[in-house]
Amino acid sequence: MYKIISSYKLMILLFIILAVGAAIGTFIENDYGSQRAKELVYNAWWYQLTFFVASINLVVVIDKTKMYRVKARTLFHVSFIIILFGAAVTHYFGLDGMMHIREGEKSNIIKIGDKTVETPFYIELRDFTLTRYPGSRSPSEFASDVTVIDEANDEKFDAYIYMNNTLNYGGYKFFQTSYDNDEKGTQLSVNKDPGVEITYIGYTLLFLGLLLNLFDKKSRFQYLISKLKKMPIASLLLPLLFLSLPTPSNAGTYGEYIDGYLEEHRKNSKALSQAFGTLVVQGPAGRMKPLDTQNREVLSKLTGRGSWEGMDANQVVLGMFSRPEIWKKVKLIRIKTPKLREKLAVTAGQKLVKFTDFFDSNGTYKLSNEVEHANQLVPSKRGTYERDLIQADERLNIAFMSYRGVLLTLFPLQNNERNKWVDFKTMFATSDNSEVKRATSRLLNAAYNRNYDKGFAYINDIKTYQSAEGHRVIPDETKLKVEGWFNQIDLFFRLSLAYLLFGLLLLVYGLTSMFYNTRIADKIKTLITVAAFSLFGVHTFGLALRWYIGGYAPISNTYETMVYIAYAAILAGVVFLRKSTIALSASFMMAGIFIFAAYLGEIDPEITSLVPVLKSYWLSVHVSVITASYGFFGVGAILGLITLILFMLRDTTRPHIDTHIKNIRHINEIALTLGLTLLVIGNFLGGIWANESWGRYWGWDPKETWAYISILVYVMVLHVRLIKSWYSVYLFSLLSVLAFFSILMTYFGVNFYLAGMHSYATGDPVPIPNWVYMTSGVVLAMMALAYPKRKLNKQKEIK
């Protein structure tokens, strides 16, 4: 037994070395580049030796614990050894390089750094094609039409290589990676992987073992499920309110004429602006959508809000275009830093500034040199001020384009092969359709003179023109109406408030019931279950709508994945953990926090066109699985915090609290086990996607590296119980909270912290956000206050 315990301790030590080393590697890469990080950490002898020792130690543990008696558990543990062996074969005996070919030419040269390798056959590029989104320069798809010429084997055949569709021949794999600027040449990634079969066998055993482990009656997961089924439930039926928060007013006194115009525009332009929003616009990336959607995006980028001074986005954009001389003098552009306010000479604490505040009395742009300097910095050298400068400059340009109508690409060019749509000015210069010109002029005159009731007929004329000339790319009427309705209901924001309210009230009641050791009627339990499933159904409906509108699974950007993580958290609650009020409340609170956070800061909810590499089946599978795990880990963190609170409430007069602590620990372990299962499967599915799309399983970029670190962290959290001299319910609960910081680093930190750690202007480190200090302080305080003065009652456990 002592030798087994020593092997467990060695396992934890090795995982710490791997996790800390990888974390240091991401910071080295941030400052010195990926090649330096690989030299010092990922490909270094000591890091690979740690992998080797961990594999040997795992074999020892399997043997000493007679793990082979439980087939599912043995299967996925052995799979890691097989995967590491396959990775070693690929690393030491494989080949990975680039092949460049011009149209009409052939090549057999693979460049690997400074070296070149020749293939025993040639690849001839017959044609390279690049397809862009309608009216946009953004690539939709690019592909190489090639011929394979193998004279030695008398083989010659044509092949088509494009993103996510590879060419396999002679043990080599060719992937579409990039292209020449003149679009007359292709760049193919070439891979020769002798370890791929071994690795994929390991992946198959891993997936099979992890899934079977959830259903194996001898597994710890099933043991915990049996404990969950025996637990009492304490719930409370509470009203669920769909709320909306009022937008605080930023009204200023702009003068009698401007104030009068703004008030009249707010009161009388609502109907015309709504009709204006039903026009179809071609977005910058080529997506066809209702103008209402784009107007909301514009207002959100400018102000960070969904409305301004009681006006919706359509009213604001229509006003900006029809009366730019007025709207340049109102506070509409958001800034953040005190230094930028000082540069613009505006009031300290002022969050919105005027377009005219950016220019001096001579019309010179005040920030010209500052912005140029900030843009010249690499992202890792930009501090808070530099990022605010760049963002403010972007908002200023968006405002300028809105004043001039540049973003209002409402008019399809006649007989245009690219299906390009143009703005008002271009339409007047290029179109020979007098009716649409007349309708457009009269619409602008009606808005300018505030004769809003006269503009409806002219909007209908523009719609008729759009349908006639843009029918090849214009979405069907049903989809446009659905998107407009989806914009208006603001479903996910309202859902976040409902989640937070429901979760908070359930938490208060759950803790109260534990404190007084009370139960609740079966009818109330049923009503709570119905309410929970109803909210889950609403969330499902919202995701389905967004999928229908965008045409792809809504998990392609930060906003969408945060909404999906919330969905996974609710799934964890209503499907696996609904027997416990505390677990259910944790699920709803975590979901509410994630969705609410998606509406804060710089996260953009825009539905965009997919870049070529994301047009893959693996996107839906890999991203949905890996982000779902974050929801389970979030629930675990909330349950850990709740357990620490219960430790603070313990008293000799309330022995029943110990039972609740143990029950919540079981629920927490279930949540973390499901989360880790999903995270591991999701990461290795990502390895398959990467290998099938561009020829590598793993690139050690910071995002995937921190996902790997998170796996190691949660493996340690779930296995620390095997070291009895270390383990306690208190330690497990605390670790479940602290471990979630690795998920936050994976999801947010890599994008928002590693990308800008130092201010180039001062050389000083960028201050860590206050919420980090506050959260850390709260956790440390709870850690101290919750530290148990006496042990919990003993309870029989299995390994």
Side-chain angles (χ1 to χ4, degrees):
M1 179 60 70
Y2 176 77
K3 291 182 179 180
I4 296 175
I5 298 297
S6 298
S7 296
Y8 291 152
K9 290 180 179 179
L10 177 60
M11 174 186 68
I12 297 294
L13 176 62
L14 292 171
F15 284 170
I16 290 174
I17 293 172
L18 291 172
V20 173
I24 293 172
T26 62
F27 288 90
I28 293 174
E29 177 175 354
N30 184 75
D31 291 339
Y32 303 105
S34 59
Q35 190 58 40
R36 190 61 174 160
K38 290 177 180 178
E39 291 173 0
L40 295 178
V41 181
Y42 310 130
N43 293 340
W45 67 267
W46 65 269
Y47 203 77
Q48 296 186 18
L49 178 62
T50 306
F51 273 128
F52 178 74
V53 175
S55 300
I56 299 300
N57 186 66
L58 181 55
V59 173
V60 172
V61 170
I62 291 172
D63 177 59
K64 296 294 184 182
T65 60
K66 296 181 171 52
M67 189 187 294
Y68 46 80
R69 293 177 179 175
V70 184
K71 294 182 176 58
R73 189 184 307 167
T74 305
L75 202 59
F76 73 79
H77 279 87
V78 169
S79 70
F80 287 112
I81 300 173
I82 297 173
I83 291 169
L84 285 174
F85 179 66
V89 172
T90 298
H91 179 72
Y92 291 107
F93 303 102
L95 177 151
D96 188 11
M98 295 292 296
M99 179 180 287
H100 175 248
I101 320 174
R102 296 287 293 176
E103 281 186 350
E105 299 178 1
K106 62 182 180 180
S107 175
N108 70 334
I109 303 296
I110 304 173
K111 291 187 177 180
I112 308 172
D114 297 329
K115 299 185 300 179
T116 59
V117 175
E118 293 186 2
T119 61
F121 54 88
Y122 285 87
I123 303 293
E124 180 183 358
L125 178 63
R126 291 187 292 116
D127 185 37
F128 177 81
T129 56
L130 174 64
T131 306
R132 302 183 188 275
Y133 283 104
S136 168
R137 298 295 296 170
S138 300
S140 171
E141 189 66 82
F142 45 91
S144 300
D145 195 355
V146 302
T147 299
V148 178
I149 305 171
D150 186 354
E151 296 177 353
N153 295 306
D154 195 26
E155 288 276 354
K156 185 175 181 180
F157 61 91
D158 297 334
Y160 199 55
I161 308 172
Y162 56 90
M163 195 63 72
N164 299 311
N165 187 75
T166 60
L167 165 65
N168 293 285
Y169 184 73
Y172 295 87
K173 239 179 178 180
F174 296 84
F175 308 83
Q176 183 66 67
T177 302
S178 188
Y179 53 89
D180 294 350
N181 291 333
D182 63 358
E183 301 175 19
K184 297 293 184 182
T186 188
Q187 297 180 37
L188 303 175
S189 174
V190 187
N191 168 278
K192 188 173 185 180
D193 183 3
V196 64
E197 290 84 4
I198 301 171
T199 302
Y200 279 1
I201 289 172
Y203 282 9
T204 303
L205 295 177
L206 174 65
F207 299 158
L208 184 62
L210 286 172
L211 293 174
L212 289 177
N213 183 64
L214 299 179
F215 303 98
D216 187 348
K217 292 181 179 180
K218 294 182 180 180
S219 71
R220 180 167 178 83
F221 183 78
Q222 283 297 318
Y223 165 76
L224 295 169
I225 290 293
S226 68
K227 288 284 186 181
L228 179 61
K229 291 177 179 178
K230 299 175 184 177
M231 293 179 192
I233 183 171
S235 304
L236 176 68
L237 178 63
L238 294 165
L240 300 178
L241 303 177
F242 284 78
L243 304 174
S244 60
L245 296 178
T247 303
S249 174
N250 287 284
T253 303
Y254 302 113
E256 184 177 351
Y257 179 75
I258 294 180
D259 288 343
Y261 162 80
L262 291 175
E263 180 63 18
E264 185 177 353
H265 188 72
R266 182 184 66 81
K267 289 181 178 179
N268 300 332
S269 68
K270 183 77 174 179
L272 181 64
S273 298
Q274 187 173 356
F276 179 63
T278 62
L279 293 170
V280 179
V281 67
Q282 188 177 77
R287 190 173 90 85
M288 310 303 298
K289 54 191 173 183
L291 181 57
D292 172 78
T293 299
Q294 179 168 289
N295 291 343
R296 289 170 184 268
E297 293 162 1
V298 167
L299 185 61
S300 177
K301 287 178 183 292
L302 290 177
T303 67
R305 302 185 183 123
S307 63
W308 182 86
E309 301 299 339
M311 294 180 233
D312 62 32
N314 294 317
Q315 289 177 285
V316 171
V317 174
L318 180 61
M320 291 176 74
F321 182 49
S322 61
R323 298 298 299 269
E325 76 285 355
I326 290 179
W327 287 85
K328 287 179 180 180
K329 299 175 184 177
V330 301
K331 298 172 184 176
L332 200 64
I333 300 174
R334 179 168 51 124
I335 59 173
K336 295 180 180 178
T337 57
K339 187 175 180 180
L340 183 52
R341 295 187 187 100
E342 183 181 343
K343 289 283 184 182
L344 297 178
V346 299
T347 307
Q350 187 174 323
K351 295 181 179 179
L352 298 178
V353 297
K354 307 170 189 174
F355 182 86
T356 54
D357 288 331
F358 288 85
F359 303 90
D360 61 22
S361 57
N362 297 320
T364 303
Y365 184 27
K366 295 178 182 178
L367 305 178
S368 179
N369 294 332
E370 300 266 351
V371 170
E372 184 178 356
H373 173 70
N375 278 315
Q376 289 174 349
L377 302 178
V378 295
S380 62
K381 299 298 184 181
R382 293 173 187 162
T384 306
Y385 171 65
E386 289 83 7
R387 290 197 297 272
D388 193 26
L389 263 178
I390 293 171
Q391 290 164 359
D393 183 67
E394 180 190 8
R395 295 185 191 110
L396 186 72
N397 280 291
I398 290 172
F400 181 73
M401 289 188 287
S402 298
Y403 297 136
R404 301 195 62 177
V406 174
L407 298 175
L408 300 176
T409 49
L410 304 172
F411 307 98
L413 284 178
Q414 295 170 312
N415 304 317
N416 184 266
E417 293 182 359
R418 291 173 50 205
N419 297 308
K420 184 176 179 61
W421 290 36
V422 296
D423 60 3
F424 285 77
K425 183 178 179 181
T426 308
M427 182 273 293
F428 278 111
T430 59
S431 177
D432 57 4
N433 190 310
S434 58
E435 291 184 6
V436 73
K437 288 183 177 180
R438 182 169 56 252
T440 302
S441 297
R442 291 178 177 177
L443 172 62
L444 294 177
N445 287 334
Y448 182 88
N449 295 314
R450 288 173 267 180
N451 297 321
Y452 300 110
D453 57 330
K454 296 182 179 180
F456 296 98
Y458 309 130
I459 288 178
N460 289 332
D461 290 340
I462 296 174
K463 281 186 176 181
T464 301
Y465 176 79
Q466 288 185 330
S467 298
E469 299 296 338
H471 63 273
R472 292 185 300 275
V473 294
I474 197 168
D476 64 75
E477 190 66 23
T478 301
K479 179 174 283 192
L480 292 172
K481 288 181 178 179
V482 168
E483 183 167 352
W485 177 75
F486 184 72
N487 291 338
Q488 291 176 8
I489 62 174
D490 206 6
L491 177 64
F492 290 121
F493 181 71
R494 293 173 183 270
L495 199 57
S496 72
L497 298 177
Y499 283 162
L500 287 171
L501 178 63
F502 187 49
L504 181 62
L505 293 174
L506 275 181
L507 175 63
V508 171
Y509 179 79
L511 291 176
T512 303
S513 66
M514 287 180 182
F515 192 81
Y516 293 106
N517 202 26
T518 58
R519 297 176 65 86
I520 195 157
D522 291 338
K523 289 183 179 179
I524 302 299
K525 299 176 189 177
T526 303
L527 288 172
I528 285 297
T529 302
V530 170
F533 272 100
S534 297
L535 286 173
F536 180 69
V538 172
H539 200 144
T540 305
F541 174 69
L543 289 175
L545 271 184
R546 194 167 172 103
W547 192 329
Y548 170 70
I549 292 167
Y552 58 87
I555 44 176
S556 65
N557 58 39
T558 303
Y559 170 84
E560 289 176 342
T561 53
M562 290 182 75
V563 171
Y564 184 77
I565 290 171
Y567 184 73
I570 298 300
L571 179 69
V574 299
V575 176
F576 298 101
L577 311 175
R578 66 179 183 275
K579 286 283 290 180
S580 168
T581 305
I582 294 298
L584 200 59
S585 70
S587 298
F588 278 94
M589 288 180 65
M590 179 54 59
I593 289 168
F594 260 91
I595 298 180
F596 192 80
Y599 286 88
L600 303 176
E602 300 303 319
I603 297 172
D604 191 350
E606 178 182 358
I607 299 174
T608 59
S609 300
L610 290 179
V611 296
V613 72
L614 297 183
K615 291 183 174 180
S616 168
Y617 165 77
W618 293 108
L619 168 70
S620 302
V621 178
H622 158 61
V623 179
S624 62
V625 172
I626 201 170
T627 52
S629 71
Y630 299 165
F632 286 86
F633 290 137
V635 172
I638 296 292
L639 290 173
L641 285 172
I642 292 170
T643 306
L644 295 179
I645 293 173
L646 289 176
F647 267 107
M648 287 186 258
L649 296 176
R650 288 178 72 216
D651 191 270
T652 54
T653 61
R654 295 186 290 271
H656 55 273
I657 288 182
D658 284 10
T659 303
H660 289 301
I661 288 174
K662 293 173 185 176
N663 289 342
I664 294 174
R665 186 278 306 268
H666 289 139
I667 298 168
N668 196 349
E669 195 172 339
I670 290 172
L672 296 190
T673 301
L674 288 169
L676 184 59
T677 299
L678 290 171
L679 184 60
V680 171
I681 291 175
N683 267 277
F684 283 94
L685 283 174
I688 295 174
W689 178 26
N691 189 52
E692 295 301 317
S693 294
W694 51 82
R696 64 162 178 81
Y697 307 94
W698 197 262
W700 292 109
D701 75 70
K703 195 78 170 177
E704 62 188 13
T705 301
W706 271 97
Y708 151 73
I709 293 170
S710 296
I711 290 175
L712 293 175
V713 167
Y714 277 99
V715 166
M716 288 188 280
V717 171
L718 287 171
H719 284 76
V720 73
R721 65 182 175 79
L722 301 176
I723 307 175
K724 293 183 178 180
S725 60
W726 293 2
Y727 181 73
S728 68
V729 177
Y730 167 79
L731 177 64
F732 175 78
S733 303
L734 181 62
L735 291 177
S736 69
V737 176
L738 298 178
F740 194 62
F741 282 93
S742 69
I743 298 297
L744 294 177
M745 184 64 186
T746 303
Y747 193 72
F748 292 109
V750 171
N751 292 337
F752 301 114
Y753 185 64
L754 276 181
M757 289 172 52
H758 294 83
S759 170
Y760 187 81
T762 64
D764 297 327
V766 174
I768 296 175
N770 290 331
W771 68 266
V772 175
Y773 291 113
M774 293 173 62
T775 305
S776 302
V778 169
V779 172
L780 288 173
M782 293 184 71
M783 174 181 170
L785 293 172
Y787 189 79
K789 297 180 177 63
R790 58 186 176 85
K791 293 184 178 180
L792 297 172
N793 296 327
K794 288 187 177 181
Q795 183 172 339
K796 187 178 179 181
E797 291 285 351
I798 68 166
K799 293 182 181 179

